[in-house]
Amino acid sequence: MNLQPLLDALGIQEEAARALADDLRGQIAELQDRLRETETHLEHLSITRKTITGLADRLPASPPHLPEHPDYPRILAIFNEAAGSLRARDICEALDHELLPKNIEGTRAKLKRLVKLDILTEAETGSFTRKQ
């Protein structure tokens, strides 16, 4: 019996298996490198999360959403410059509105809304200040 053809076929299969094993080792090495890089990135993200959550208490609170009316930012600017409390009439004057009852009452309603939004406080009835 001639074993040479069988040994040749076996040799071809061994070469193919070696080549596949070498290729798989290369892929494994590449995957291990990618895994190390990903784990390092994950660790950095975890550190960043801890840092941000640790600083979150120190960040100022975001300002509340103001109603959509051009007077609101102007009213807040007036209070930012004011030294003490202001009345609706004072705000009307600062906004250059006519000092008519309807304008003063409209301004008072805006000031009351800012109190409800926790931006202003009403120290005394009709007397408003910026919340500290």
Side-chain angles (χ1 to χ4, degrees):
M1 175 174 192
N2 189 0
L3 293 177
Q4 194 57 42
L6 186 59
L7 293 175
D8 290 342
L10 189 58
I12 291 171
Q13 287 184 2
E14 283 178 328
E15 275 302 312
R18 271 193 200 94
L20 179 60
D22 289 343
D23 184 48
L24 290 174
R25 282 188 202 96
Q27 288 180 26
I28 288 171
E30 182 181 322
L31 287 173
Q32 286 176 330
D33 290 342
R34 288 179 55 197
L35 178 61
R36 272 192 296 276
E37 290 171 7
T38 302
E39 286 174 338
T40 300
H41 183 64
L42 185 59
E43 185 179 336
H44 290 166
L45 291 173
S46 176
I47 292 168
T48 302
R49 177 181 297 283
K50 286 178 185 176
T51 302
I52 289 173
T53 55
L55 294 174
D57 295 336
R58 298 179 191 171
L59 296 175
S62 62
H65 180 69
L66 293 176
E68 292 192 24
H69 190 281
D71 280 349
Y72 285 100
R74 294 174 61 205
I75 290 170
L76 292 181
I78 292 166
F79 274 99
N80 286 339
E81 295 176 9
S85 63
L86 298 171
R87 303 182 74 70
R89 181 181 189 88
D90 303 325
I91 300 296
C92 275
E93 285 182 55
L95 292 173
D96 291 326
H97 293 320
E98 286 185 72
L99 295 179
L100 300 174
K102 68 176 188 172
N103 292 339
I104 294 171
E105 289 306 315
T107 301
R108 182 174 287 110
K110 289 179 181 82
L111 296 173
K112 294 277 189 179
R113 183 174 287 166
L114 290 173
V115 169
K116 285 183 182 178
L117 290 173
D118 210 29
I119 297 171
L120 299 180
T121 59
E122 190 172 8
E124 299 173 12
T125 303
S127 181
F128 300 89
T129 58
R130 184 74 190 243
K131 190 157 191 160
Q132 300 299 333

